[in-house]
Amino acid sequence: MPFFRRIIASVIMAVFVFGGYAGSFSAAVDDVIEEETVEDVPATGSNTSSSSKNKSSSSSSSSSESSSFSQALFEIIFEAIGYLWLAANVSVRFYDYPYMEDGVKYVTYPALFESSGDGDGEKSVGAKPRFYRFSCGTSAFYMRTLGYGQECSFEGQALFIGPYFENTLYSNSLRNARDDYQGNVKLGGQFFLFSTNPLSCSLVVQWSHWYGNNIAEEIRSGISFGYDIRSYPFRPVAIQWRPVWSHFDKNVGVFESNLNAGILLGRVEVFCGWRYMSVYNYETDKRSDKWNGALVGAKLYF
């Protein structure tokens, strides 16, 4: 059982570290420790040396006890977070689509709250929630100086994991779209950090591949990672933000951001939003170009 708790805590720690931190904190701590080691010069003389050794031994023992206590407290906290995360994701359920009935939003935790509501005190009229949900969508957009585009997506969730597939086409001319285009397909999955109606967030990892005309070899294939952040605040509104970072050979990076707001019409969501994309060097953070523009689309929940 302790081993199982450690596995849960390690997974949660890995998710938060991968999603939110750049690793500079640990390096800063190491630098401070090295500086203190260099500056601490022992005094001369046998008595002073003996006294220093005793102080050093006492300080080392005290530091070791403090470190052990901190580590134990750290493990307890993350074990608690791990159990909470596991319980929530095992208990999460979804209705067929958002706002399908009066008094029901989308996400519910019947096993935790011992009711058929969504955990906010709302009751279902008769719908039976499931442990999975899926959606597929399409959108059209225009980005100034880059041209027109169309995106298709399929994604889903079963407890805390699910698929995430996307394909995007770009063309600077609608008339010659078949002959002059670039495409980007992303295939992968998502790992849910938490799922609630006010706010849900998943970590998305995908294989990214560019194809079409005039595509440099350096960005043919790479890795993409990002987030899918959603909110169902009140009927019939749905909000979604998808920031994605893609890394390719020779330090080529592509950042994309889709921010959408939609209205639910039954199981179909009609939305509009803003799309942004930039190309940069992820080692130097130098950006070579950027584009942005409006989008409209529709999504089907099932």
Side-chain angles (χ1 to χ4, degrees), residues 47-173:
N47 293 335
T48 305
S49 176
S50 176
S51 175
S52 297
K53 288 180 179 179
N54 292 334
K55 289 181 180 180
S56 176
S57 176
S58 175
S59 175
S60 176
S61 176
S62 176
S63 176
S64 177
E65 291 177 1
S66 176
S67 176
S68 299
F69 175 78
S70 299
Q71 183 177 355
L73 181 62
F74 186 78
E75 289 182 358
I76 291 173
I77 291 174
F78 271 92
E79 279 191 22
I81 294 174
Y83 277 122
L84 180 62
W85 174 85
L86 183 61
N89 281 285
V90 168
S91 302
V92 67
R93 296 294 184 270
F94 306 91
Y95 293 102
D96 291 356
Y97 55 89
Y99 312 113
M100 68 174 293
E101 294 183 5
D102 292 336
V104 172
K105 286 187 177 179
Y106 193 24
V107 185
T108 180
Y109 289 91
L112 288 180
F113 293 94
E114 297 181 353
S115 73
S116 58
D118 65 12
D120 297 327
E122 300 172 346
K123 299 290 184 178
S124 167
V125 177
K128 294 183 179 180
R130 313 172 294 191
F131 72 92
Y132 61 90
R133 60 125 191 111
F134 295 97
S135 71
C136 61
T138 183
S139 63
F141 56 86
Y142 174 76
M143 304 174 75
R144 191 170 60 88
T145 73
L146 183 63
Y148 302 88
Q150 187 265 340
E151 181 181 76
C152 294
S153 65
F154 169 79
E155 63 84 33
Q157 178 178 356
L159 300 180
F160 57 89
I161 59 174
Y164 212 113
F165 307 143
E166 299 172 279
N167 185 61
T168 310
L169 294 175
Y170 302 87
S171 177
N172 57 16
S173 171

Side-chain angles (χ1 to χ4, degrees), residues 192-214:
F192 279 81
L193 305 181
F194 55 89
S195 301
T196 66
N197 287 314
L199 191 67
S200 296
C201 181
S202 68
L203 174 67
V204 182
V205 180
Q206 300 165 301
W207 171 72
S208 180
H209 175 74
W210 282 85
Y211 60 92
N213 301 320
N214 303 319

Side-chain angles (χ1 to χ4, degrees), residues 191-268:
F191 182 90
F192 279 81
L193 305 181
F194 55 89
S195 301
T196 66
N197 287 314
L199 191 67
S200 296
C201 181
S202 68
L203 174 67
V204 182
V205 180
Q206 300 165 301
W207 171 72
S208 180
H209 175 74
W210 282 85
Y211 60 92
N213 301 320
N214 303 319
I215 297 298
E217 286 297 324
E218 288 76 14
I219 62 170
R220 285 291 181 181
S221 297
I223 186 74
S224 294
F225 60 94
Y227 299 96
D228 188 317
I229 302 171
R230 303 186 181 207
S231 177
Y232 302 95
F234 52 86
R235 187 185 188 100
V237 176
I239 300 171
Q240 181 183 19
W241 181 39
R242 291 185 297 148
V244 179
W245 294 263
S246 299
H247 287 181
F248 302 94
D249 291 341
K250 297 188 177 179
N251 301 335
V252 176
V254 178
F255 172 70
E256 300 168 83
S257 173
N258 279 14
L259 180 60
N260 308 330
I263 300 295
L264 269 298
L265 306 173
R267 64 175 64 248
V268 176

